[in-house]
Amino acid sequence: MQHRIIAGLAGAGVLALALTGCVPNKTGSDALTVAITDDSCSVSVAKATAGAVTFSITNNGTDVNEFEILASDKLRIVGEKENVTPGQTVSYVAQLNPGTYYTACKFQLVGAPVGLAEFTVTGENATVSKDEQALTDQAVTNYVAYVKSQVAELVPQVKAFTDAYAAGDDETARQLFATTRVSYERIEPTAEAFGDLDPKIDYREVDAVAEGLDWTGFHRIEKDLWPPAADALNSDGTSALTDWTPSTPEQRQQFATGLVDDVQQLFDLVSEKDFTVSLGDISNGAIGLLDEVAVGKISGEEDWWSHTDLYDFAANVQGAEVAFGNVKDIAASKGDAGTKLVGQIETEFTALQDLLAKYGSLDSGFVSYDTVTEEQRKELSDQVNALSEPLSQLTHTVLGVAE
């Protein structure tokens, strides 16, 4: 995972953005522009019409940044585009109902919001056709079931993994580490929607330190299982031994119990009767999962000590493909442009899966990522980018109107 807190939590167990149809704000010249620097966040206009609002975001700063849309309380995030790198321009679509919101950015993805500004959405909630509503209902029902299924698989996997770790059976724990994470990586955007759960479960050391948080979860355990050498460095170039020592048996039990409890809480939340997602959550989730690959997995920063990044990579891609699969019929129903986009995305997913297969599979195992050369990583990165381009258009197409 990367540094992020929440994305669209509307209430207890409910992801934000209501399931309503919309008339989109078009891309291109009609998109609202967002200019980001290290200490500013400027949206071209402070008002939009209800529906699918498109933002063209450019990072003119010196480091990674993110764009956020907050509810009227200035706390709850109802939409965000993370990991916008210096010099990059990206498109982001948020489905917004009438009301008062606030826009802001977050330099290096940490700290207080920058450039907080009121943003007003006017108009009325639009309606969709009966046929499209049926497709929407089916997509939401199927994706919610998928999320619940993945978390249900995660609970016993984490228990087996942490039992071995707490007992000092490091060989077994190392064998289980990568495969245990797969179910989580497939649905990570959902976990991110629940406040501090994702930081507790999946923060890397450098992120926790940067935000002043207690470092717990998978990666805290990972460092115990693959202890660094005396001269080893963290992913940010600092000494791996700064403020770190191997956990005592008592600490191991504490970290094991904490991870089990946090994953159980995630299970309880997605099992709530009122847990649901919006259409935008599903399509943006597909985009977000591919962003996870581009930012954390390609670089090898995610599983810095175990070098099991390709397992996370594959799981993120699988999760993105499942999310896309749930909304592709809706995208295809938008006319020739939608049909063409679906075909492009399917082609690029196949190409990426074929490329990943050169390094193994989730069933048979992947090679250690430190054996993947820079040239091979570049090849993987190029194919991720090839998929990212059409996939980035998915939300606008899904939330748009038919030709």
Side-chain angles (χ1 to χ4, degrees), residues 1-196:
M1 58 76 54
Q2 301 305 310
H3 345 240
R4 54 215 123 86
I5 304 298
I6 52 178
L9 189 61
V14 184
L15 295 180
L17 308 185
L19 284 169
T20 57
C22 58
V23 178
N25 289 264
K26 297 179 181 179
T27 56
S29 60
D30 291 328
L32 309 186
T33 60
V34 181
I36 301 175
T37 68
D38 296 352
D39 58 3
S40 68
C41 184
S42 176
V43 182
S44 57
V45 296
K47 184 180 294 185
T49 303
V53 183
T54 302
F55 298 87
S56 177
I57 307 164
T58 300
N59 184 356
N60 299 307
T62 63
D63 206 341
V64 66
N65 214 311
E66 73 177 41
F67 172 67
E68 297 179 339
I69 305 168
L70 295 90
S72 57
D73 60 9
K74 302 181 186 179
L75 295 174
R76 179 170 53 88
I77 297 174
V78 299
E80 67 176 354
K81 180 61 179 176
E82 300 175 304
N83 301 316
V84 185
T85 56
Q88 184 181 29
T89 297
V90 297
S91 179
Y92 174 69
V93 183
Q95 183 165 327
L96 300 174
N97 290 327
T100 298
Y101 300 86
Y102 288 84
T103 58
C105 297
K106 189 165 287 189
F107 179 56
Q108 296 178 329
L109 315 187
V110 298
V114 173
L116 193 69
E118 186 172 313
F119 186 80
T120 304
V121 177
T122 60
E124 299 180 358
N125 295 340
T127 59
V128 297
S129 69
K130 191 174 295 185
D131 289 343
E132 184 169 333
Q133 188 61 56
L135 287 174
T136 296
D137 292 345
Q138 182 179 14
V140 169
T141 298
N142 291 347
Y143 193 71
V144 167
Y146 172 73
V147 168
K148 291 181 177 181
S149 174
Q150 290 300 306
V151 179
E153 291 182 25
L154 182 65
V155 170
Q157 292 168 341
V158 166
K159 185 64 166 62
F161 165 65
T162 55
D163 279 353
Y165 164 69
D169 184 358
D170 288 5
E171 181 178 356
T172 297
R174 283 193 290 266
Q175 291 173 352
L176 294 175
F177 176 76
T179 54
T180 298
R181 290 173 52 75
V182 167
S183 294
Y184 187 81
E185 292 291 327
R186 286 171 177 157
I187 52 89
E188 193 167 1
T190 298
E192 294 167 14
F194 295 113
D196 62 354

Side-chain angles (χ1 to χ4, degrees), residues 380-402:
L380 287 165
S381 178
D382 288 346
Q383 185 52 52
V384 168
N385 290 337
L387 173 56
S388 293
E389 194 283 322
L391 194 65
S392 69
Q393 304 171 44
L394 181 63
T395 300
H396 184 272
T397 300
V398 165
L399 299 181
V401 294

Side-chain angles (χ1 to χ4, degrees), residues 235-255:
S235 61
D236 63 354
T238 59
S239 171
L241 303 185
T242 299
D243 298 325
W244 179 87
T245 56
S247 299
T248 65
E250 292 76 17
Q251 289 172 323
R252 281 190 174 219
Q253 186 61 63
Q254 178 184 352
F255 291 131

